Each structure stands twice: as C-alpha cells, then as structure tokens.
Amino acid sequence: MASLGELERSVMEVLWTNDASLTANELRDALALRDEASGRTVATTTVLTVLSRLERKGFVSRSRDQRPHRYRALLSREEHTAELMHEVLDRSSDRDAALARFVGTVSATEAATLRKLLDDLAPR
C-alpha cells in the first residue's frame, strides 16, 4: 500500500469523517475549516491533483455520473491502519519478534482489547 503525504492524509481525514461522497470544492472548504487556525488555504486544482493521486493509489473512487465528480474513500481509516500494520510486519525479517516488541509496548487497556479480540477469533 502506498504511503500518504501530508495533504493526502488531510484529504483522507475529511473523507473518513464524512459519510457522503464529496466534490473537490466541498473537500477544499472542509480543509479550509480544519486549517482555519493556520491560515493555510488550498486551491481546488490542488485538491483535484491530490484526489487524482489518491485514486491512482487506490484510496478513493470517483463517481463520474454527475458533474462535479464526487469522491469517497475506498477503505475505512481502520482498514487503512490495519493494512499499514500488515505492510510493516511483511517487511520485518522476524515477524514474531516484531509482534512481541509491539505487544510489549501497548498499554494495559490495549492489551485487554487485543486479548478479547484474539479470544473472539479462537474456535469454540
């Protein structure tokens, strides 16, 4: 899975927090609201370029049924995070050691969540 740049992540965050598909202008406006404190503004053409890249990377789909086109995330934030975790593990020369190191750094609450999730997967 391709990594995301800063603006790509910002666009994905907006898409992940919206249930509906959005146009480039709607995304630009949402980004402007998020970045209001920084004073940073993004042009619609820049948003369209980022959306095109995200579409090529398989992160968004574009509905061409109407104008302007509408965009939506193909994966949820959680699915993306899980894919990133798998990607990192796949690159490790020792998956067991990487998992052990990860598990050794989680909080007690996270460990309880992991334990419950693993118990739920276990065959009965």
Side-chain angles (χ1 to χ4, degrees):
M1 164 155 286
S3 61
L4 296 174
E6 181 183 344
L7 189 51
E8 289 172 330
R9 269 193 312 277
S10 294
V11 167
M12 289 306 300
E13 287 295 330
V14 171
L15 289 172
W16 283 326
T17 57
N18 283 276
D19 292 331
S21 58
L22 300 173
T23 67
N25 284 329
E26 290 168 336
L27 277 160
R28 181 207 57 220
D29 294 346
L31 289 168
L33 285 174
R34 283 175 46 122
D35 296 337
E36 206 169 35
S38 70
R40 181 176 92 166
T41 59
V42 179
T44 303
T45 53
T46 302
V47 173
L48 285 165
T49 298
V50 169
L51 287 166
S52 176
R53 288 182 183 155
L54 289 169
E55 186 177 19
R56 270 196 320 272
K57 291 179 178 183
F59 283 94
V60 302
S61 69
R62 175 176 24 174
S63 171
R64 297 168 189 212
D65 297 343
Q66 60 186 359
R67 288 283 217 190
H69 295 164
R70 302 190 73 78
Y71 298 84
R72 68 176 182 81
L74 288 174
L75 297 175
S76 69
R77 179 186 288 113
E78 296 76 16
E79 289 169 322
H80 172 63
T81 301
E83 283 193 14
L84 288 175
M85 293 168 77
H86 276 285
E87 190 176 303
V88 169
L89 281 173
D90 289 343
R91 284 193 224 137
S92 173
S93 59
D94 186 346
R95 284 177 74 107
D96 290 345
L99 282 169
R101 179 73 176 149
F102 173 75
V103 170
T105 63
V106 300
S107 70
T109 303
E110 292 165 335
T113 300
L114 284 171
R115 200 170 287 111
K116 181 187 178 325
L117 292 170
L118 289 170
D119 287 345
D120 290 349
L121 286 176
R124 306 241 176 220

